[in-house]
Structures are given as C-alpha cells and as structure tokens.
Amino acid sequence: MKVRLPTLLLTFSFAISVVPRCGARPSLADFTGEYCLDCHDTETKKSGLDLSTLKFDPTDPTNFALWVKVHDRVNAGEMPPKKEPRPEEKDKSTFIKSLTTVLDSADEKRIAKEGRATQRRLNRYEYENTMRDLLHIPWLQVRDSLPEDGERFRYNKVGDALDISHVQMMRYLNAADFALHQALAPYPERPPTTVRRYYTREQGSFTGPMTFTVFNNAPERATFPVLGFEGQPDVRRKKAPITAGTNNPALRELEGVGVVASAYEPIEPKWNQFRAPIAGHYKLRFMAYSVWVGPGEGDKWYIPDLDHISKGHRDEPITITAETPPRLLRHLGDFDITPEPSVHELDVQLLAGELIRPDAGRLFRSRPGPSRWHNPLAEKDGQPGVVFRWMEVEGPIFDQWPPAGHQLMFGDLPMEARDAGDQPQGKRRHRFQPASGVDVISKNPDEDAARLLKNFIHHAYRRPVNERAEVKRFLRVFHSAEDKGNTFADSMIAAYTAVLCSPDFLCLKEEPGRLEDHALASRLSYFLWNSPPDDELRQLADDHQLHRPEILMAQTDRMLDDPKAQRFVEAFLDYWLDLRKMQATAPDAELYSDYYLDDLLTESATDEPRAFFTELMKNDLPSRNIVSSDFAMVNERLAALYDLPPVQGVALKKIKLPADSVRGGFLTQAAVLKVTANGTTTSPVLRGAWVMERILGKKPPPPPPNVPALEPDIRGATTIREQLEKHRTQKTCKACHAKIDPAGFALESFDVMGGWRERYRSESKGELAQGIAKSGQKFTFHYGPPVDATGELPDGRKFNNVEDLKKLLLADDRQIARNFANQLTVYATGAPVGFADRKEIEQVLDRASSSHYGVRSIIRELVRSPLFQEK
C-alpha cells in the first residue's frame, strides 16, 4: 500500500480541527490514505484525480466540487471499488460525517456572504409575461424577438447564464417600444363591439379549390358545395350561383363548403375576408358539421364523389389557428364537430392582421409519391368529411376605455383623431400621432410627464424605490427626446422604454440573507406564475405581512389555483422534460409515415404532460406518479396511439388505465419519448441519460473525448443493443454505459413517437409493413429485428420490460421526490441545490412525507423553507 501523507495531512488540517477526535476514530487523511491513494495518487491518478496533492480550498468552486464528488462516491458505496479493500461501515460513516461537517461549514459561510443565487435578469418567458401583465395586453408576442436564453443546470432561470449583451439590450429596446405601442388606444373614442358573420361561400379560399385546374384535378384536393346534407353538382360545375346571398337568407344559412382532407398545401381554406382590425379580445363562433362523402365508381371507391353527401358517421376534431401570412400559425383552440350542424365558440386574443383558418386534423393529407394517393380513412361506401357554413366574429371586446395599458401611460389625457394637416397650436401643446390614428394631447407637458412617470414606475418596479429620484432620472430622457422635436407622447414612450430596459425592471433584486417582502413576492410570483406579483401580493409586501407562514401558504394556494399557474406548468415542463424541443424533430417520412404530417398527434402529445402535471399538482398526488400512475390524460388520438380503450373527442380526459397497460407516469408519454429520439431512430444512451438526470437526479457521466457517437443501423442489419455491446467492450466505456443504458433499454419498446413496438423498423430488411399513411401513400418501411427491453441496473437488479423498471425505480420513491424537489429548487430560486442545501431538501421531504410526497405538498414546503425565503 502506498503511503504519502504529508501533503494530504496538511491539506486536511482545517478539516481535522473541526471534527471531534474520539478514541481510535480515523481522520479524513487516515481514511483516504488507506482506501483511496492506491488509485488516486500522483503516479496512478485514475480519472485524473490525485488526492495526495489535492488541497482543501472551499473558496475555489472546482476544488469544492471535487471534495463533494469524493463524499458522494464514497457515501454511495461506489468508491472504493468492490474489487479493492473496503472500509468498515463505522469507519465509512465517520469519514462521511467528518467530511460533511467540513463541506457544510464552508458552503454555509459562502451562502451567508453571497447568497445561494446569482442576481439575474428576466428570461424571455418572464419578460413577455411581465409586459403582458403590466400593460394589460395578453395578446403580446415578443418572446421570439429576443435572443435565446442561456441555460445552467438545465434551466433558463440561473443568473450565470443570463447575460446582457449590447445585442440583448437592443432587442429589449425594440420589444419595449413595440409593447408600449401595442398598449395605446387605437381610436380616440371607444369603438363599437360588432358581430359579423363571414359566410364560407363568400370566401375565395374556400370556394377557389372547387374548380379543377391543370395543377390539381383530384377530388381529394378540392372543396365542394353542400346544402344541408345534399351535394350541389350544378354549383360545383358553375352552372348555378355560388350562393343565394342576401336574396334568400334562409337558404344562405344552409349553404356550406366541405373538404375530405386536412388543411395542407395545396388546400388551405380560411376566412380570408376577415382580418383582425386591431389586436385584442374577440369571440369566434363556427357553424360546422361532419358529413359522409360517397365513394367513386367500381374499384375507384376510395376517390370521393363530391356530389353525393350524407350525414357524418362520427364527430371530427377541429383545430382553429390564427395565421399571419404567409403561414405563420398560432394555435387558438380545438373542438369536436358532430353530424348535426352546431355552433362552437372560442374566446381568443388576436393580433392585428391575423386571419382564421380551420383544420380537420384527423383527415388525411395527400402527398405525391410512387403511386396515386389513397385516403386511409376511405371505406367501400365512402369517406369522412367536414362542412363549414360560416364563422361569426364578435369584437373587438374592451373591458374598459381607454384600455388599461393606455391609461397607465397617459391617464385621462384627451385624445383626438389624427389629422395629417393639423399642427400643434401653442408653444407647449404636444401631439402623438402613431399609426393607430390618435393624438394624445398635453397642455402641461412637464407636470404631466412627472405625474405619469411616477405612476408608471410605481407599477413597473416590483419593489419600493426612491420615486422622486427615479422620476428625475427618467425625466431627463423625456426632455432629451422632447428637445429633439419629438411629440409629448413620443417623448413619454422614450422615457417608458428606458424604464422597461432599466436594471430595476429587467433584473430581480435580492440581497444575501432573508429576502425582504417585496423580493419574496417577486420570487413567489415568478415561480408559480412566471410573471410579476399582482396587486394582492404587492399589498401584502407593502404591509410586511407576506413572511407570515399562514399568509405565505394561503398565497401559495391562491396562486396555484389561479389560471396563471399554467404559465408555471408550461415553463417548468419546457425545461424539466424538454417539452420546448417538441418541434425540433419530425417523424421520418418513410420510416414513420404513420406519424408524419400528424399535427393533431404532436399537439395532443405536447398537451398531455401539462395536463398530467396539473392533475398531480391540483390534487396533491404522490410524486411516485412521476414514474408510474394508474391513470392517464388522453384524447382520442393518444388513446389510439397507446392502444387504450377508445376515448371520444379532442379534449384530454383523465382515464383509469387497464391493469396491463404499460402507460402511466411521464416515462411512457409520447412527448417524453419524442424529445428523447431524433425522428428516425431511438438511442438507449440518450433516453437512459435523460431518465438518469431528469427523473432520478443522477448526473450522467460526460461523453469520453474522441469517441464518436453510435449511428443506429436503419437498414435493419444490427440493433442498437448489438452495437452497444461491442462499444461496451472498451474499458473506458463499460463503466459509464452500465449506469446510463439500462433505463434506455427498457424504453426501446417505444418508437420515436411513443408508440409500442415489438420490432425495429428498417428501410429494406425484414417484412414489408402493410398499410396506408396519412399522406395517402403505402407504407414503405419494413419490420426488422425484435426489440430486447431487458436490462440490469448498476446495483445488479434485473428487469424484463418497462413495467419491471418502473417497479425497481419506485423501490426508492423518496429519491423520485428528492429529484423533483431539486428540480423545483433550481427553477424557483435560480440556483442549484448546493451541499449545504441538502439537509434543507431533506426537511422539505420530511414535512411532505405524510402526503406520500405529494406534488403540491412539495411545492408548498419548498416555499416554506429557507432555500426559498433566502437569497
């Protein structure tokens, strides 16, 4: 045994001094000298670690992290290796306790001095929500105009990754200016809220495709006229008027236009006569129903006869999107139309200039291929279709006038219609003439500017400030703009823009130690709403009441029950589960043609984990449901993908899972399985690392340098497991893959979209699949080698399938809860769980244990903890 202790003894002198010596209790240096230096001295230096010369310097983050790693590896029993001499349990325990004391002490001193979290700016999500709430413009879209946020510890909430560059500041300036103009009143007088009906027969986008052209003569790509449940061949052939119009209002109400295909090039119907005149609140109503379109003649039965229409056989899901031409789409809502004509209403926020387009998401999308397309939903007696009669628009709807955002900026200053020939009268009369067509008039600009700025700053800043000093500061911006010849309102908007780009607005202000009430209010609101405190929270902070435990818990519950909590659900899952990457890949058009072009499936899959997490949070369900649950949140499309009993409708519903179902929990949800694949193949390494980090809270080892990633064989000659077995024969790879791969092997039973599979798919080898894709083309993929979902965890426990794996993972349900608490802590506080924080996490779990680590309980207990209430 190698014994080189002088340097090590010196480096541990501080550690030994703080650890009581009792009898023959070995010191830290004794322990490492006996059990560690054979592999980790200057000569051997396994994994690049030399403990014989490693000093203990807690002020150096890298050094501190190394000693934490030593602590964790020994504590987990991973070190010393099993083949080497191992310490008695009492010696190991003494070593761990001694090192824990030293590391805790060092970390607590750092926290007391600096705090846990680094000061940070608002991220893109938070900035957009903050502007929406402050200016009362819920339709605002500025997030994508800002640079992508940096990430640390997997989240976009950590100050070290949220820098502010000159590019960032320029984008913030543009975003603030845009938002302020969005909040301005569009007219000097409150416009009437109108109700107007847009008949489908009068929309060229609907009626144009009725006529065949040299570029399109396929009935599946045509629209067709319907009167009630009767086809109108004369109208379709232009032998009769397209509409009865105002000459016959009763007949006009029965006229509709139908399709048998989903909205996709070249058939993309929309109500093109309507464009939202201004951004704001609207109600949309749609008269629509499902139909059955007759078959073609003879062996061409799958080609629709557009002149023979009857009542639909079933409901059809409809997705409504807003479109900013060309094809910039924004999802507005979904509903199911029935075989009986009925009206469906959506309450929406529209952007100026947007138009509305429907999509019957279950219907097929014809694409060219080696043969003529064939509707996969067609039957010998016909195929499904949908008919739209009209869209009715109510709006714009105003809760008050002038709008709340305009009042925040300009109070009750008078407005008048813009007149291009009108000039300001009097030396100090100023006018604002934006594109909205109104002038804002101030007869006392200096007084109005100071008064309005004071009020704006009070609402914009999330904590008390010296308002007099701040007003003076931003008045300089106002006067500077005014001196350059800008109007009063232009100058005010320049000042407001400066406020919205100032550190006091962009950054979350926190000081080391216990957070004062306003900082606590901001931390709570950006945690549970991803947006700023509302008036109730701010008033409690003003009254210094928010720190009172009963009030803090009451506010936590109020916020979790508020609709704005969905902002938390979406932002948290976007990063914890990587849902923001749902659109990063698409199923391969050949290997996974049964999923290709299926927007309804992708949208449903994205909504499922959000609805599932909301259910856990709302009902305080045990956190073990993260891994395995006896229920799922599905709609018709997801139930079909999961081979579950039929579910009716496009809305997600809570259903009890059959006893033999492999579903339940996040692991087997389509969204998770999609973001851990690339659209063409799956990888046990990627999925295993995801489970290890996101569900178990274990950091995967980094990939070795100069070792290329495995490329799965989509020809079907070898499986990914066979490739990994060869890969794992390399000594440098085996140990790491033994930790990473097992969970990934269990998930190999699921394809790139989360469908169950017994065999891999290949391009050429194996049995040719039978069926027709959503594109109308025959399947061209083959069923290749069988899937092997067996594996062995690092501790030797074996499993045969994903159900077995779930049971093994839940043997330690406290670790599942611990990881969830850790993930929440990073998201809520902007700092990872440090060494000294671990005992606080354990206390959170102890307090939540009576609810079996309920999801809501863990959230509440985290808010109660010093981790949350201190910087």
Side-chain angles (χ1 to χ4, degrees):
M1 181 176 292
K2 302 172 184 176
V3 181
R4 297 182 188 81
L5 298 184
T7 303
L8 192 62
L9 283 168
L10 287 173
T11 63
F12 275 116
S13 60
F14 167 73
I16 296 170
S17 69
V18 299
V19 180
R21 302 298 298 275
C22 302
R25 202 183 203 180
S27 70
L28 298 173
D30 293 337
F31 185 94
T32 54
E34 184 173 354
Y35 297 109
C36 305
L37 292 189
D38 275 356
C39 298
H40 298 291
D41 64 351
T42 305
E43 295 176 6
T44 312
K45 205 175 181 179
K46 279 193 175 181
S47 300
L49 179 60
D50 178 8
L51 286 175
S52 66
T53 60
L54 180 65
K55 295 181 179 181
F56 184 77
D57 181 7
T59 62
D60 179 0
T62 302
N63 180 276
F64 186 85
L66 277 174
W67 284 113
V68 171
K69 185 176 182 180
V70 169
H71 171 281
D72 291 348
R73 297 294 297 276
V74 173
N75 191 40
E78 297 175 2
M79 289 293 163
K82 293 181 180 179
K83 63 182 179 180
E84 299 292 338
R86 295 167 72 85
E88 296 283 340
E89 188 60 35
K90 64 177 182 179
D91 291 339
K92 172 187 167 183
S93 178
T94 300
F95 172 76
I96 292 300
K97 288 181 180 178
S98 300
L99 187 51
T100 297
T101 301
V102 178
L103 294 173
D104 265 346
S105 176
D107 207 21
E108 287 167 356
K109 287 182 178 179
R110 177 190 63 81
I111 292 172
K113 181 181 179 182
E114 304 172 1
R116 294 180 59 257
T118 307
Q119 181 173 308
R120 70 174 183 89
R121 63 166 170 83
L122 302 177
N123 62 41
R124 299 192 308 161
Y125 290 65
E126 295 166 335
Y127 185 83
E128 181 176 83
N129 288 336
T130 301
M131 299 293 270
R132 286 175 174 178
D133 290 1
L134 173 66
L135 299 173
H136 305 276
I137 45 176
W139 60 83
L140 182 68
Q141 304 283 322
V142 294
R143 186 173 74 191
D144 291 339
S145 69
L146 298 172
E148 193 78 38
D149 293 318
E151 295 175 39
R152 280 295 298 280
F153 311 107
R154 294 290 181 185
Y155 289 93
N156 64 341
K157 294 255 190 178
V158 181
D160 294 344
L162 296 174
D163 59 341
I164 300 181
S165 66
H166 69 280
V167 174
Q168 205 105 27
M169 283 307 306
M170 183 57 67
R171 297 286 183 88
Y172 276 127
L173 287 165
N174 290 337
D177 181 75
F178 176 75
L180 290 165
H181 281 88
Q182 285 280 298
L184 286 169
Y187 311 107
E189 301 294 336
R190 180 174 186 146
T193 295
T194 61
V195 178
R196 180 178 173 184
R197 189 168 290 181
Y198 296 84
Y199 289 93
T200 306
R201 291 283 187 97
E202 297 169 6
Q203 313 300 310
S205 176
F206 273 93
T207 60
M210 286 185 189
T211 304
F212 291 140
T213 69
V214 293
F215 301 104
N216 178 38
N217 58 7
E220 297 95 331
R221 289 184 165 189
T223 59
F224 50 93
V226 179
L227 186 68
F229 289 100
E230 297 290 334
Q232 293 183 289
D234 287 347
V235 173
R236 194 165 67 84
R237 293 176 177 83
K238 296 186 175 181
K239 295 180 179 179
I242 191 69
T243 178
T246 56
N247 293 328
N248 192 336
L251 193 66
R252 186 189 197 190
E253 290 297 319
L254 298 177
E255 294 175 340
V257 177
V259 291
V260 297
S262 174
Y264 199 73
E265 191 179 15
I267 180 169
E268 299 175 272
K270 62 201 74 172
W271 283 274
N272 52 276
Q273 284 187 352
F274 168 78
R275 293 204 180 197
I278 60 171
H281 180 199
Y282 294 81
K283 290 184 179 180
L284 307 177
R285 301 180 188 95
F286 304 88
M287 167 60 85
Y289 54 102
S290 63
V291 294
W292 193 252
V293 181
E297 297 181 355
D299 60 357
K300 301 294 185 180
W301 52 268
Y302 54 87
I303 299 177
D305 181 346
L306 304 182
D307 297 329
H308 290 83
I309 312 298
S310 59
K311 185 174 290 188
H313 292 183
R314 50 154 292 158
D315 296 352
E316 291 293 344
I318 301 295
T319 297
I320 301 296
T321 55
E323 177 184 350
T324 299
R327 295 193 180 92
L328 182 59
L329 304 181
R330 195 168 60 86
H331 181 267
L332 295 178
D334 308 274
F335 52 81
D336 296 296
I337 61 172
T338 67
E340 293 296 333
S342 54
V343 177
H344 305 268
E345 181 176 285
L346 293 178
D347 198 87
V348 301
Q349 300 287 339
L350 298 181
L351 306 180
E354 283 186 320
L355 47 80
I356 307 300
R357 55 184 278 170
D359 181 19
R362 193 180 75 94
L363 305 186
F364 92 122
R365 289 178 165 177
S366 61
R367 306 313 301 153
S371 61
R372 190 195 187 282
W373 51 76
H374 179 135
N375 186 344
L377 300 178
E379 300 176 19
K380 291 293 180 69
D381 67 339
Q383 57 192 275
V386 297
V387 172
F388 298 96
R389 287 182 178 173
W390 46 256
M391 175 184 72
E392 188 174 85
V393 180
E394 180 181 350
I397 300 169
F398 297 97
D399 296 328
Q400 66 178 73
W401 191 264
H406 181 100
Q407 269 201 327
L408 175 66
M409 292 188 289
F410 295 106
D412 295 322
L413 289 180
M415 294 179 286
E416 63 182 20
R418 181 177 61 181
D419 182 351
D422 188 20
Q423 298 296 324
Q425 296 179 12
K427 183 177 180 182
R428 301 301 301 252
R429 188 178 184 195
H430 295 251
R431 298 172 181 272
F432 174 52
Q433 300 178 338
S436 60
V438 300
D439 294 344
V440 176
I441 303 167
S442 171
K443 295 182 179 179
N444 301 293
D446 290 341
E447 292 179 13
D448 287 338
R451 172 178 57 84
L452 294 171
L453 267 172
K454 180 180 179 180
N455 182 58
F456 188 86
I457 290 169
H458 173 76
H459 284 84
Y461 287 177
R462 298 170 290 274
R463 61 188 181 87
V465 294
N466 185 333
E467 290 183 351
R468 184 175 180 181
E470 291 296 301
V471 168
K472 184 177 179 181
R473 172 186 172 197
F474 292 108
L475 271 176
R476 289 198 292 267
V477 179
F478 167 79
H479 287 132
S480 175
E482 185 186 45
D483 290 344
K484 293 176 181 175
N486 289 287
T487 65
F488 170 76
D490 273 332
S491 303
M492 288 302 300
I493 286 180
Y496 292 149
T497 300
V499 172
L500 298 179
C501 293
S502 68
D504 285 293
F505 180 80
L506 284 180
C507 298
L508 297 173
K509 299 283 189 175
E510 299 175 346
E511 300 296 333
R514 187 172 185 259
L515 297 177
E516 54 87 24
D517 279 63
H518 291 91
L520 180 60
S522 287
R523 178 170 280 194
L524 186 64
S525 64
Y526 281 107
F527 174 29
L528 300 181
W529 286 348
N530 217 32
S531 55
D534 64 358
D535 290 342
E536 185 171 335
L537 267 182
R538 291 185 64 156
Q539 187 60 56
L540 287 168
D542 288 343
D543 295 340
H544 308 290
Q545 295 294 305
L546 191 56
H547 266 101
R548 292 175 56 187
E550 69 277 13
I551 290 179
L552 185 58
M553 287 301 96
Q555 289 299 307
T556 300
D557 286 330
R558 176 180 74 90
M559 296 174 74
L560 287 173
D561 293 335
D562 190 279
K564 284 195 287 188
Q566 280 304 304
R567 295 176 175 180
F568 156 58
V569 172
E570 293 180 14
F572 178 55
L573 297 189
D574 267 3
Y575 282 83
W576 178 29
L577 304 183
D578 279 339
L579 291 191
R580 70 193 187 283
K581 298 179 181 178
M582 275 295 288
Q583 300 294 338
T585 62
D588 185 81
E590 301 298 329
L591 279 176
Y592 290 97
S593 52
D594 44 344
Y595 304 141
Y596 180 63
L597 300 177
D598 196 340
D599 291 348
L600 179 60
L601 175 57
T602 301
E603 291 163 6
S604 301
T606 304
D607 291 340
E608 180 191 7
R610 294 170 178 167
F612 182 77
F613 184 78
T614 300
E615 184 71 15
L616 300 185
M617 185 175 69
K618 177 182 176 182
N619 294 306
D620 198 24
L621 299 181
S623 55
R624 63 185 294 114
N625 285 279
I626 289 170
V627 171
S628 180
S629 65
D630 63 359
F631 73 94
M633 306 295 293
V634 298
N635 59 10
E636 179 186 9
R637 184 63 187 92
L638 287 173
L641 177 71
Y642 294 165
D643 294 319
L644 296 174
V647 172
Q648 187 173 3
V650 70
L652 295 176
K653 302 174 181 67
K654 182 179 180 179
I655 66 162
K656 185 172 179 58
L657 291 169
D660 60 350
S661 175
V662 298
R663 305 296 169 170
F666 284 121
L667 289 182
T668 50
Q669 290 180 4
V672 167
L673 295 162
K674 183 180 187 298
V675 299
T676 55
N678 65 11
T680 302
T681 59
T682 61
S683 166
V685 179
L686 295 178
R687 282 180 170 172
W690 190 95
V691 173
M692 188 176 181
E693 183 175 18
R694 310 305 173 86
I695 304 301
L696 301 179
K698 309 292 185 183
K699 187 176 181 179
N706 304 320
V707 177
L710 290 176
E711 292 292 336
D713 181 8
I714 59 176
R715 297 169 301 170
T718 59
T719 66
I720 186 66
R721 181 184 282 269
E722 291 169 340
Q723 291 179 280
L724 280 170
E725 287 300 327
K726 295 179 182 179
H727 188 67
R728 291 169 70 172
T729 58
Q730 302 177 44
K731 191 174 181 180
T732 57
C733 302
K734 184 176 181 179
C736 293
H737 281 279
K739 297 177 183 178
I740 298 172
D741 297 350
F745 283 137
L747 295 179
E748 279 297 277
S749 292
F750 302 93
D751 63 28
V752 300
M753 199 65 212
W756 179 263
R757 64 184 176 189
E758 300 285 349
R759 298 163 67 183
Y760 290 102
R761 296 186 182 187
S762 72
E763 290 180 330
S764 55
K765 292 185 178 294
E767 175 190 354
L768 178 65
Q770 301 299 310
I772 301 174
K774 192 178 180 74
S775 66
Q777 297 297 325
K778 292 180 179 180
F779 292 159
T780 59
F781 62 87
H782 296 68
Y783 292 112
V787 172
D788 180 358
T790 63
E792 181 179 336
L793 296 179
D795 60 12
R797 292 179 295 165
K798 296 182 179 180
F799 57 85
N800 292 318
N801 48 45
V802 70
E803 299 103 304
D804 289 350
L805 174 69
K806 288 182 178 182
K807 292 175 183 176
L808 295 179
L809 297 183
L810 288 177
D812 186 3
D813 62 344
R814 187 177 175 98
Q815 179 57 32
I816 303 300
R818 181 181 293 113
N819 171 64
F820 176 62
N822 288 345
Q823 299 284 351
L824 282 174
T825 300
V826 181
Y827 179 89
T829 69
V833 175
F835 192 86
D837 300 330
R838 294 178 178 182
K839 56 183 178 290
E840 296 293 345
I841 291 292
E842 296 308 309
Q843 291 179 24
V844 166
L845 297 178
D846 289 344
R847 293 194 298 269
S849 61
S850 61
S851 65
H852 303 286
Y853 309 115
V855 166
R856 190 183 186 103
S857 292
I858 291 176
I859 293 172
R860 295 175 89 251
E861 295 303 333
L862 175 61
V863 172
R864 286 181 57 190
S865 73
L867 285 177
F868 188 84
Q869 296 189 37
E870 297 177 2
K871 182 180 185 287

